[in-house]
Amino acid sequence: MDATTLSPAPTCTTREAAKRLGVSLRTVQLWTESGVLDAWKTAGGHRRVLCSAVDRLIADREEAVTRPPTPRGALDILVVEDDPTLLALYRYNLADTPVPVTVRTAGNGYEGLIRLGEQRPDVLVTDLMMPGIDGFQMLHTLTARPEFAAMQVVVVTGLDRADIEARGGLPAGVVVFGKPIPFERLIRLITDRAEVLRAKVAA
């Protein structure tokens, strides 16, 4: 058995990474652009993904709680928030949404980007100030990805408008709510979003 068999190559192509992770090539591109997967570009402009980063992401996904797929007709909502108490409040209060919903959660921007790559939500609700990959970085990464253009994004933050602008602002179309979380307004927005999507399907 030669050395190459014992020691796998330290990098792989984005297509090889996608095959190992069981996701689309575009998802791997999203994860490399956002820093979820460590990668570099060759002189010819081709991405090379660190195999160790792929292994780490596989392990992280295996440790995550597996949730059933979104039931047919239910609105898929992803909540990204690093405060466990607030995540619990989201789960509790969004259960009262008058339209069928499935609520997925992530504890930081890194986990959020993984969940986004696995399944694009109908509504993304996110905090801004989080450790590691924060909400600003996550949202600006998504702006460059056309497959997320139709997604409704809601920011719930303790920052005021001046603070947000000082940190580079937010992409166009993002709805901003202040903390404490205005659940009545959030549920109304989610309900309206469900009606819009239902109308598009019926058209």
Side-chain angles (χ1 to χ4, degrees), residues 31-54:
W31 287 342
T32 57
E33 290 167 4
S34 61
V36 168
L37 277 173
D38 294 326
W40 55 279
K41 284 188 177 181
T42 65
H46 300 290
R47 287 190 182 90
R48 291 293 179 265
V49 184
L50 294 181
C51 291
S52 58
V54 174

Side-chain angles (χ1 to χ4, degrees), residues 9-33:
T11 64
C12 60
T13 66
T14 51
R15 192 171 300 278
E16 290 167 342
K19 184 176 181 180
R20 287 192 59 196
L21 290 162
V23 298
S24 70
L25 181 60
R26 300 189 86 172
T27 292
V28 169
Q29 291 170 347
L30 167 68
W31 287 342
T32 57
E33 290 167 4

Side-chain angles (χ1 to χ4, degrees), residues 82 95-96 108 152 163 167 191:
D82 64 324
D96 289 334
N108 52 53
Q152 175 67 65
D163 290 331
R167 289 171 169 80
T191 304

Side-chain angles (χ1 to χ4, degrees), residues 36-134:
V36 168
L37 277 173
D38 294 326
W40 55 279
K41 284 188 177 181
T42 65
H46 300 290
R47 287 190 182 90
R48 291 293 179 265
V49 184
L50 294 181
C51 291
S52 58
V54 174
D55 293 337
R56 183 176 67 249
L57 184 51
I58 290 172
D60 288 346
R61 293 173 69 199
E62 289 175 348
E63 288 177 5
V65 176
T66 302
R67 295 184 179 276
T70 302
R72 185 175 179 83
L75 205 70
D76 183 52
I77 303 170
L78 176 63
V79 179
V80 185
E81 168 62 62
D82 64 324
D83 185 328
T85 301
L86 293 182
L87 277 183
L89 282 174
Y90 275 113
R91 294 189 193 98
Y92 177 79
N93 284 276
L94 294 183
D96 289 334
T97 304
V99 294
V101 299
T102 296
V103 180
R104 296 182 293 141
T105 60
N108 52 53
Y110 172 84
E111 290 181 11
L113 284 162
I114 294 176
R115 301 285 88 78
L116 284 157
E118 292 170 343
Q119 178 177 320
R120 188 195 68 198
D122 298 300
V123 179
L124 169 65
V125 181
T126 183
D127 191 10
L128 291 177
M129 302 304 292
M130 295 179 287
I133 298 174
D134 64 18

